[in-house]
PDB file of all heavy atoms in Angstrom:
ATOM      1  N   VAL P 184       3.876  20.808 -10.869  1.00 85.00           N
ATOM      2  CA  VAL P 184       4.470  21.807 -11.756  1.00 85.00           C
ATOM      3  C   VAL P 184       5.251  22.793 -10.894  1.00 85.00           C
ATOM      4  O   VAL P 184       4.693  23.381  -9.953  1.00 85.00           O
ATOM      5  CB  VAL P 184       3.394  22.563 -12.564  1.00 85.00           C
ATOM      6  CG1 VAL P 184       4.041  23.637 -13.431  1.00 85.00           C
ATOM      7  CG2 VAL P 184       2.604  21.600 -13.433  1.00 85.00           C
ATOM      8  N   ASP P 185       6.552  22.934 -11.182  1.00 81.00           N
ATOM      9  CA  ASP P 185       7.420  23.844 -10.419  1.00 81.00           C
ATOM     10  C   ASP P 185       7.346  23.567  -8.917  1.00 81.00           C
ATOM     11  O   ASP P 185       7.321  24.489  -8.086  1.00 81.00           O
ATOM     12  CB  ASP P 185       7.053  25.309 -10.708  1.00 81.00           C
ATOM     13  CG  ASP P 185       7.284  25.692 -12.157  1.00 81.00           C
ATOM     14  OD1 ASP P 185       8.210  25.124 -12.768  1.00 81.00           O
ATOM     15  OD2 ASP P 185       6.539  26.538 -12.683  1.00 81.00           O
ATOM     16  N   GLY P 186       7.283  22.299  -8.574  1.00 83.00           N
ATOM     17  CA  GLY P 186       7.317  21.912  -7.173  1.00 83.00           C
ATOM     18  C   GLY P 186       5.994  21.936  -6.445  1.00 83.00           C
ATOM     19  O   GLY P 186       5.931  21.579  -5.267  1.00 83.00           O
ATOM     20  N   SER P 187       4.925  22.335  -7.134  1.00 85.00           N
ATOM     21  CA  SER P 187       3.613  22.411  -6.489  1.00 85.00           C
ATOM     22  C   SER P 187       2.606  21.550  -7.237  1.00 85.00           C
ATOM     23  O   SER P 187       2.665  21.418  -8.463  1.00 85.00           O
ATOM     24  CB  SER P 187       3.109  23.859  -6.451  1.00 85.00           C
ATOM     25  OG  SER P 187       3.991  24.668  -5.706  1.00 85.00           O
ATOM     26  N   VAL P 188       1.656  20.996  -6.490  1.00 86.00           N
ATOM     27  CA  VAL P 188       0.620  20.169  -7.093  1.00 86.00           C
ATOM     28  C   VAL P 188      -0.432  21.050  -7.745  1.00 86.00           C
ATOM     29  O   VAL P 188      -0.916  22.020  -7.137  1.00 86.00           O
ATOM     30  CB  VAL P 188      -0.042  19.273  -6.027  1.00 86.00           C
ATOM     31  CG1 VAL P 188      -1.213  18.492  -6.616  1.00 86.00           C
ATOM     32  CG2 VAL P 188       0.986  18.312  -5.439  1.00 86.00           C
ATOM     33  N   VAL P 189      -0.779  20.763  -8.997  1.00 87.00           N
ATOM     34  CA  VAL P 189      -1.848  21.471  -9.702  1.00 87.00           C
ATOM     35  C   VAL P 189      -3.150  21.185  -8.962  1.00 87.00           C
ATOM     36  O   VAL P 189      -3.521  20.029  -8.746  1.00 87.00           O
ATOM     37  CB  VAL P 189      -1.946  21.000 -11.165  1.00 87.00           C
ATOM     38  CG1 VAL P 189      -3.121  21.668 -11.860  1.00 87.00           C
ATOM     39  CG2 VAL P 189      -0.652  21.285 -11.897  1.00 87.00           C
ATOM     40  N   ASP P 190      -3.857  22.240  -8.584  1.00 86.00           N
ATOM     41  CA  ASP P 190      -4.956  22.071  -7.643  1.00 86.00           C
ATOM     42  C   ASP P 190      -6.135  22.981  -7.996  1.00 86.00           C
ATOM     43  O   ASP P 190      -6.012  24.198  -7.901  1.00 86.00           O
ATOM     44  CB  ASP P 190      -4.422  22.420  -6.253  1.00 86.00           C
ATOM     45  CG  ASP P 190      -5.243  21.869  -5.132  1.00 86.00           C
ATOM     46  OD1 ASP P 190      -5.968  20.902  -5.344  1.00 86.00           O
ATOM     47  OD2 ASP P 190      -5.151  22.429  -4.023  1.00 86.00           O
ATOM     48  N   PRO P 191      -7.268  22.430  -8.445  1.00 88.00           N
ATOM     49  CA  PRO P 191      -7.526  21.008  -8.704  1.00 88.00           C
ATOM     50  C   PRO P 191      -6.897  20.553 -10.026  1.00 88.00           C
ATOM     51  O   PRO P 191      -6.446  21.384 -10.817  1.00 88.00           O
ATOM     52  CB  PRO P 191      -9.052  20.925  -8.761  1.00 88.00           C
ATOM     53  CG  PRO P 191      -9.479  22.280  -9.229  1.00 88.00           C
ATOM     54  CD  PRO P 191      -8.476  23.247  -8.646  1.00 88.00           C
ATOM     55  N   ALA P 192      -6.895  19.248 -10.238  1.00 88.00           N
ATOM     56  CA  ALA P 192      -6.290  18.685 -11.448  1.00 88.00           C
ATOM     57  C   ALA P 192      -7.063  19.117 -12.687  1.00 88.00           C
ATOM     58  O   ALA P 192      -8.301  19.137 -12.678  1.00 88.00           O
ATOM     59  CB  ALA P 192      -6.282  17.166 -11.352  1.00 88.00           C
ATOM     60  N   THR P 193      -6.350  19.451 -13.751  1.00 91.00           N
ATOM     61  CA  THR P 193      -7.003  19.839 -15.006  1.00 91.00           C
ATOM     62  C   THR P 193      -7.358  18.589 -15.814  1.00 91.00           C
ATOM     63  O   THR P 193      -6.734  17.532 -15.647  1.00 91.00           O
ATOM     64  CB  THR P 193      -6.072  20.732 -15.834  1.00 91.00           C
ATOM     65  OG1 THR P 193      -4.846  20.014 -16.078  1.00 91.00           O
ATOM     66  CG2 THR P 193      -5.751  22.025 -15.094  1.00 91.00           C
ATOM     67  N   PRO P 194      -8.356  18.678 -16.698  1.00 94.00           N
ATOM     68  CA  PRO P 194      -8.785  17.507 -17.463  1.00 94.00           C
ATOM     69  C   PRO P 194      -7.672  16.833 -18.258  1.00 94.00           C
ATOM     70  O   PRO P 194      -7.620  15.600 -18.348  1.00 94.00           O
ATOM     71  CB  PRO P 194      -9.869  18.073 -18.392  1.00 94.00           C
ATOM     72  CG  PRO P 194     -10.421  19.245 -17.643  1.00 94.00           C
ATOM     73  CD  PRO P 194      -9.243  19.844 -16.937  1.00 94.00           C
ATOM     74  N   ASP P 195      -6.753  17.623 -18.840  1.00 93.00           N
ATOM     75  CA  ASP P 195      -5.689  17.009 -19.633  1.00 93.00           C
ATOM     76  C   ASP P 195      -4.738  16.213 -18.750  1.00 93.00           C
ATOM     77  O   ASP P 195      -4.234  15.151 -19.157  1.00 93.00           O
ATOM     78  CB  ASP P 195      -4.923  18.087 -20.429  1.00 93.00           C
ATOM     79  CG  ASP P 195      -4.279  19.134 -19.537  1.00 93.00           C
ATOM     80  OD1 ASP P 195      -4.904  19.528 -18.537  1.00 93.00           O
ATOM     81  OD2 ASP P 195      -3.153  19.574 -19.841  1.00 93.00           O
ATOM     82  N   ARG P 196      -4.507  16.681 -17.533  1.00 94.00           N
ATOM     83  CA  ARG P 196      -3.619  15.948 -16.626  1.00 94.00           C
ATOM     84  C   ARG P 196      -4.297  14.692 -16.092  1.00 94.00           C
ATOM     85  O   ARG P 196      -3.648  13.660 -15.914  1.00 94.00           O
ATOM     86  CB  ARG P 196      -3.171  16.870 -15.484  1.00 94.00           C
ATOM     87  CG  ARG P 196      -2.291  18.010 -15.976  1.00 94.00           C
ATOM     88  CD  ARG P 196      -1.806  18.915 -14.840  1.00 94.00           C
ATOM     89  NE  ARG P 196      -1.013  20.008 -15.389  1.00 94.00           N
ATOM     90  CZ  ARG P 196       0.277  19.918 -15.689  1.00 94.00           C
ATOM     91  NH1 ARG P 196       0.917  18.788 -15.460  1.00 94.00           N
ATOM     92  NH2 ARG P 196       0.919  20.941 -16.191  1.00 94.00           N
ATOM     93  N   VAL P 197      -5.579  14.778 -15.843  1.00 94.00           N
ATOM     94  CA  VAL P 197      -6.331  13.590 -15.436  1.00 94.00           C
ATOM     95  C   VAL P 197      -6.293  12.545 -16.551  1.00 94.00           C
ATOM     96  O   VAL P 197      -6.100  11.351 -16.298  1.00 94.00           O
ATOM     97  CB  VAL P 197      -7.787  13.953 -15.084  1.00 94.00           C
ATOM     98  CG1 VAL P 197      -8.618  12.686 -14.833  1.00 94.00           C
ATOM     99  CG2 VAL P 197      -7.832  14.874 -13.871  1.00 94.00           C
ATOM    100  N   ALA P 198      -6.463  13.000 -17.792  1.00 95.00           N
ATOM    101  CA  ALA P 198      -6.424  12.077 -18.932  1.00 95.00           C
ATOM    102  C   ALA P 198      -5.055  11.416 -19.062  1.00 95.00           C
ATOM    103  O   ALA P 198      -4.949  10.231 -19.408  1.00 95.00           O
ATOM    104  CB  ALA P 198      -6.763  12.831 -20.218  1.00 95.00           C
ATOM    105  N   ALA P 199      -3.986  12.172 -18.757  1.00 95.00           N
ATOM    106  CA  ALA P 199      -2.635  11.604 -18.844  1.00 95.00           C
ATOM    107  C   ALA P 199      -2.429  10.525 -17.775  1.00 95.00           C
ATOM    108  O   ALA P 199      -1.819   9.486 -18.037  1.00 95.00           O
ATOM    109  CB  ALA P 199      -1.600  12.717 -18.686  1.00 95.00           C
ATOM    110  N   ILE P 200      -2.944  10.768 -16.571  1.00 95.00           N
ATOM    111  CA  ILE P 200      -2.859   9.745 -15.516  1.00 95.00           C
ATOM    112  C   ILE P 200      -3.608   8.496 -15.947  1.00 95.00           C
ATOM    113  O   ILE P 200      -3.107   7.376 -15.845  1.00 95.00           O
ATOM    114  CB  ILE P 200      -3.436  10.280 -14.188  1.00 95.00           C
ATOM    115  CG1 ILE P 200      -2.561  11.388 -13.626  1.00 95.00           C
ATOM    116  CG2 ILE P 200      -3.563   9.139 -13.163  1.00 95.00           C
ATOM    117  CD1 ILE P 200      -3.135  12.063 -12.394  1.00 95.00           C
ATOM    118  N   ARG P 201      -4.822   8.707 -16.451  1.00 95.00           N
ATOM    119  CA  ARG P 201      -5.640   7.563 -16.842  1.00 95.00           C
ATOM    120  C   ARG P 201      -4.970   6.767 -17.965  1.00 95.00           C
ATOM    121  O   ARG P 201      -5.035   5.534 -17.986  1.00 95.00           O
ATOM    122  CB  ARG P 201      -7.033   8.041 -17.273  1.00 95.00           C
ATOM    123  CG  ARG P 201      -8.026   6.932 -17.579  1.00 95.00           C
ATOM    124  CD  ARG P 201      -8.205   6.008 -16.370  1.00 95.00           C
ATOM    125  NE  ARG P 201      -8.924   4.798 -16.734  1.00 95.00           N
ATOM    126  CZ  ARG P 201     -10.202   4.577 -16.437  1.00 95.00           C
ATOM    127  NH1 ARG P 201     -10.897   5.483 -15.773  1.00 95.00           N
ATOM    128  NH2 ARG P 201     -10.790   3.464 -16.796  1.00 95.00           N
ATOM    129  N   ALA P 202      -4.304   7.448 -18.883  1.00 96.00           N
ATOM    130  CA  ALA P 202      -3.602   6.752 -19.966  1.00 96.00           C
ATOM    131  C   ALA P 202      -2.482   5.881 -19.406  1.00 96.00           C
ATOM    132  O   ALA P 202      -2.286   4.741 -19.850  1.00 96.00           O
ATOM    133  CB  ALA P 202      -3.051   7.758 -20.969  1.00 96.00           C
ATOM    134  N   ASP P 203      -1.726   6.406 -18.425  1.00 95.00           N
ATOM    135  CA  ASP P 203      -0.665   5.617 -17.788  1.00 95.00           C
ATOM    136  C   ASP P 203      -1.245   4.397 -17.084  1.00 95.00           C
ATOM    137  O   ASP P 203      -0.682   3.294 -17.152  1.00 95.00           O
ATOM    138  CB  ASP P 203       0.091   6.467 -16.773  1.00 95.00           C
ATOM    139  CG  ASP P 203       1.209   7.288 -17.409  1.00 95.00           C
ATOM    140  OD1 ASP P 203       1.307   7.295 -18.653  1.00 95.00           O
ATOM    141  OD2 ASP P 203       1.972   7.926 -16.658  1.00 95.00           O
ATOM    142  N   VAL P 204      -2.361   4.597 -16.391  1.00 96.00           N
ATOM    143  CA  VAL P 204      -2.980   3.493 -15.653  1.00 96.00           C
ATOM    144  C   VAL P 204      -3.486   2.425 -16.612  1.00 96.00           C
ATOM    145  O   VAL P 204      -3.272   1.223 -16.400  1.00 96.00           O
ATOM    146  CB  VAL P 204      -4.121   4.009 -14.757  1.00 96.00           C
ATOM    147  CG1 VAL P 204      -4.844   2.843 -14.089  1.00 96.00           C
ATOM    148  CG2 VAL P 204      -3.577   4.968 -13.692  1.00 96.00           C
ATOM    149  N   ASP P 205      -4.130   2.854 -17.683  1.00 96.00           N
ATOM    150  CA  ASP P 205      -4.647   1.880 -18.657  1.00 96.00           C
ATOM    151  C   ASP P 205      -3.517   1.074 -19.289  1.00 96.00           C
ATOM    152  O   ASP P 205      -3.641  -0.142 -19.498  1.00 96.00           O
ATOM    153  CB  ASP P 205      -5.465   2.601 -19.735  1.00 96.00           C
ATOM    154  CG  ASP P 205      -6.816   3.093 -19.218  1.00 96.00           C
ATOM    155  OD1 ASP P 205      -7.271   2.561 -18.181  1.00 96.00           O
ATOM    156  OD2 ASP P 205      -7.398   3.993 -19.840  1.00 96.00           O
ATOM    157  N   ALA P 206      -2.399   1.738 -19.587  1.00 96.00           N
ATOM    158  CA  ALA P 206      -1.248   1.028 -20.163  1.00 96.00           C
ATOM    159  C   ALA P 206      -0.683   0.020 -19.159  1.00 96.00           C
ATOM    160  O   ALA P 206      -0.302  -1.102 -19.527  1.00 96.00           O
ATOM    161  CB  ALA P 206      -0.167   2.025 -20.580  1.00 96.00           C
ATOM    162  N   ALA P 207      -0.645   0.411 -17.889  1.00 95.00           N
ATOM    163  CA  ALA P 207      -0.144  -0.505 -16.861  1.00 95.00           C
ATOM    164  C   ALA P 207      -1.081  -1.691 -16.670  1.00 95.00           C
ATOM    165  O   ALA P 207      -0.636  -2.816 -16.432  1.00 95.00           O
ATOM    166  CB  ALA P 207       0.034   0.246 -15.539  1.00 95.00           C
ATOM    167  N   LEU P 208      -2.376  -1.453 -16.772  1.00 96.00           N
ATOM    168  CA  LEU P 208      -3.338  -2.551 -16.667  1.00 96.00           C
ATOM    169  C   LEU P 208      -3.176  -3.528 -17.826  1.00 96.00           C
ATOM    170  O   LEU P 208      -3.355  -4.744 -17.654  1.00 96.00           O
ATOM    171  CB  LEU P 208      -4.764  -2.002 -16.619  1.00 96.00           C
ATOM    172  CG  LEU P 208      -5.146  -1.276 -15.319  1.00 96.00           C
ATOM    173  CD1 LEU P 208      -6.545  -0.687 -15.440  1.00 96.00           C
ATOM    174  CD2 LEU P 208      -5.058  -2.207 -14.127  1.00 96.00           C
ATOM    175  N   ASP P 209      -2.839  -3.004 -19.001  1.00 96.00           N
ATOM    176  CA  ASP P 209      -2.553  -3.900 -20.141  1.00 96.00           C
ATOM    177  C   ASP P 209      -1.377  -4.815 -19.803  1.00 96.00           C
ATOM    178  O   ASP P 209      -1.396  -6.016 -20.119  1.00 96.00           O
ATOM    179  CB  ASP P 209      -2.228  -3.082 -21.391  1.00 96.00           C
ATOM    180  CG  ASP P 209      -3.445  -2.355 -21.952  1.00 96.00           C
ATOM    181  OD1 ASP P 209      -4.583  -2.761 -21.625  1.00 96.00           O
ATOM    182  OD2 ASP P 209      -3.248  -1.393 -22.713  1.00 96.00           O
ATOM    183  N   LEU P 210      -0.338  -4.254 -19.173  1.00 95.00           N
ATOM    184  CA  LEU P 210       0.823  -5.055 -18.782  1.00 95.00           C
ATOM    185  C   LEU P 210       0.445  -6.097 -17.727  1.00 95.00           C
ATOM    186  O   LEU P 210       0.844  -7.256 -17.810  1.00 95.00           O
ATOM    187  CB  LEU P 210       1.924  -4.153 -18.212  1.00 95.00           C
ATOM    188  CG  LEU P 210       2.726  -3.308 -19.195  1.00 95.00           C
ATOM    189  CD1 LEU P 210       3.688  -2.403 -18.443  1.00 95.00           C
ATOM    190  CD2 LEU P 210       3.496  -4.203 -20.167  1.00 95.00           C
ATOM    191  N   ALA P 211      -0.327  -5.669 -16.737  1.00 95.00           N
ATOM    192  CA  ALA P 211      -0.734  -6.595 -15.678  1.00 95.00           C
ATOM    193  C   ALA P 211      -1.543  -7.752 -16.245  1.00 95.00           C
ATOM    194  O   ALA P 211      -1.385  -8.906 -15.834  1.00 95.00           O
ATOM    195  CB  ALA P 211      -1.545  -5.855 -14.619  1.00 95.00           C
TER     196      ALA P 211
END
Side-chain angles (χ1 to χ4, degrees):
V184 177
D185 296 329
S187 299
V188 175
V189 176
D190 200 22
T193 58
D195 60 321
R196 294 182 182 277
V197 173
I200 292 174
R201 186 58 192 256
D203 275 7
V204 175
D205 287 340
L208 289 176
D209 290 340
L210 285 175

